[in-house]
Amino acid sequence: MKPERSVLVRIDPIRCRGHAICSLLFSEGIELDRWGYGRVAVETAEDGRSIRRAYRAAAACPNGAVQVIQLDSSGEQQPPDKPPLHVLHEQ
Amino acid sequence: MTGGEVLGEEDADGLPDVRIGSLGDYGTWLLAGPAQKSTGETLLEHLKRLGPNRCSSPSVLRSVVRDSGLRGRGGGGFPLARKLETALLAPGEPILLVNASESEPASRKDATLCQHRPHLVLDGAAIAAALIGATEAVIYMHHGSHDVYGALQLALAERRAAQLADPVWRTLMGPDRYVAGEASAIANRLEGGEALPSFSPHPMAFRGPSGRPTVVNNCETLAQLSLLVRMGAVAWRNGGTLSSPGPQLLTLVGAVADSGIVVEVVGSATIGQVLEHVGVSAPPAALLVGGYAGTWLTGDVAWCTPLNRVALNCVGADPGCGLLGVLPREACGLSETARLVSYLAGESAGQCGPCAHGLPALAERMEAIARGSLRHRSQAQLRSLGDAVFGSGACAHPDGVVRLIRSALDVFDEELHHHRHRRCSGSKNSPIFPVPLPKPRS
């Protein structure tokens, strides 16, 4: 499979319950607000390491609040799919 | 003249005369026709006055909508052409939703259209449905809007009897709550869920909760659409200005002769001209522009601000849903803001953490400021709390509340000074802007 160029990270504020795991696993992209809810600080991840960390944060959220959306080369959104397993298991 | 592109917006395309009028007044476009009566304009009257709905081919309609530059009139101001094109590109059969809920408590423009010019709205819905290829159009209302419901049911029965080339009409009811009129809340209600906003990384016009492209349009937007398809894009644009093409509907509340009056502005007018039309002869203390989750402007600034997107943005406001709230000199803007913030905080769906925690905290602090128990750091705290809440929700509800508070702190600077010394210039204690009574959450 071709490696992703970049991904878009989103947090569903309705699902977020403030477990804060995402900000531990993907600290460069997600910060916590004053109540402990996740807030996306950097919307897109471009390098392989960040992309992997973003997917890991998405997989670790107990409520599925963190969404990682693949962008195609033109920056257009692709319909979200399940995080590719090879990205999670790599490293 | 050099620099005419910037300064000469009104000169370039505005009509020399401005026409401001209410229902049935000469010179209005949307509100033209019979004056106020108990029932809406019948289909026969409507067709006699405007001719049949010109539903030409989708490609022609698309270019007309694109040329018109029509933006959504429900508050978001999203370009209609882009919404419709997104639905056309998306996979699946699209659904058209007509938002007749008008959740903004003081706004009456959509209700006025639905009750008195229902076929204008329904024509527009039929055009939008034809354009995106939707076979079904769903009209969404609040349980409490009996007048709108009655008028639309009557109009739908007329259309069914006349066997017009319409989509299949359906009505959908939702609870009488502020956020229940938000686009994603309506789409959720359609799916049989609760009328609560939801979060999706995709625009709803691409993929709604049902998985199908879901296009939600405000009533006024659709009425404008039916008008502009009949008139042609160029003629319709002349009803407004370059940045806000087409005529505008406004609801005026507060210190005006007839609070809740709906007027239409055809051409380019300043806010002052509109206020003069409804009997306000001098700049008021302040003006709330764009809705309860809108922006306060000082009366003097507002008075000479033209009613178009660019000019309003320049002074930090937005046309929003077309509400203009007039605050009289003898009222306290901080108390009014506190009341509005309390109402809006109570209307939060409580789904998103920052909104559920942040809005009650904001309301409490705003109340404290209004009461005069103002500490040295209250203002800074209020602002930083607002910054934490802004942009954190699934819908724009918390953002609107923060905008209201920020502008209140800017505009009522002098009043804040009075409150710090436990004085209040508001001699009028009765509320200026109406808010619905708190309702128990169902």
Side-chain angles (χ1 to χ4, degrees), chain A residues 12-14 34 37 39 67 69 80, chain B residues 197 199 201-202 353 357 384 388 390:
Chain A
D12 182 338
I14 296 174
R34 63 167 73 190
Y37 295 99
R39 202 165 184 170
Q67 301 176 349
I69 303 151
Chain B
F199 177 84
H202 303 287
H357 291 101
S384 82
F390 196 86

Side-chain angles (χ1 to χ4, degrees), chain B residues 27-193:
Chain B
T28 54
W29 289 7
L30 284 165
L31 300 180
Q36 187 135 9
K37 49 179 189 167
S38 55
T39 55
E41 190 181 32
T42 62
L43 184 60
L44 210 66
E45 286 173 315
H46 169 78
L47 290 176
K48 224 184 227 169
R49 186 166 67 87
L50 292 168
N53 200 2
R54 276 201 269 148
C55 250
S56 33
S57 74
S59 63
V60 175
L61 285 176
R62 273 167 78 175
S63 70
V64 172
V65 175
R66 209 181 304 126
D67 294 344
S68 73
L70 172 57
R71 281 167 178 270
R73 300 295 175 95
F78 193 82
L80 178 67
R82 243 169 61 206
K83 200 184 263 185
L84 299 178
E85 307 256 326
T86 306
L88 277 169
L89 288 173
E93 199 209 325
I95 315 170
L96 181 81
L97 272 161
V98 181
N99 186 359
S101 66
E102 196 163 41
S103 302
E104 185 68 38
S107 182
R108 295 291 302 155
K109 67 177 177 74
D110 292 345
T112 302
L113 280 176
C114 289
Q115 282 173 42
H116 300 285
R117 301 289 180 268
H119 291 290
L120 212 54
V121 177
L122 297 175
D123 271 358
I127 294 168
L131 211 153
I132 58 172
T135 52
E136 194 181 50
V138 184
I139 306 170
Y140 177 81
M141 284 163 273
H142 286 315
H143 283 303
S145 352
H146 304 294
D147 294 346
V148 170
Y149 181 82
L152 286 177
Q153 288 295 354
L154 214 66
L156 289 178
E158 280 181 312
R159 293 178 84 95
R160 286 188 190 114
Q163 296 186 327
L164 296 179
D166 276 356
V168 178
W169 301 106
R170 247 175 77 193
T171 51
L172 178 72
M173 310 302 282
D176 300 321
R177 298 201 70 101
Y178 188 81
V179 291
E182 198 263 345
S184 63
I186 299 173
N188 285 332
R189 185 82 192 88
L190 181 66
E191 284 306 292

Side-chain angles (χ1 to χ4, degrees), chain B residues 375-426:
Chain B
R375 292 209 191 83
H376 181 59
R377 283 171 51 222
S378 294
Q379 248 194 88
Q381 281 174 351
L382 197 59
R383 280 194 195 267
S384 82
L385 190 57
D387 293 343
V389 171
F390 196 86
S392 62
C395 69
H397 184 60
D399 304 6
V401 178
V402 174
R403 205 159 41 228
L404 177 70
I405 292 174
R406 281 179 185 164
S407 66
L409 293 180
D410 290 339
V411 166
F412 304 117
D413 194 36
E414 204 177 317
E415 189 65 26
L416 273 168
H417 185 75
H418 288 319
H419 277 235
R420 193 165 287 133
H421 296 96
R422 304 221 166 222
R423 288 195 306 264
C424 176
S425 59

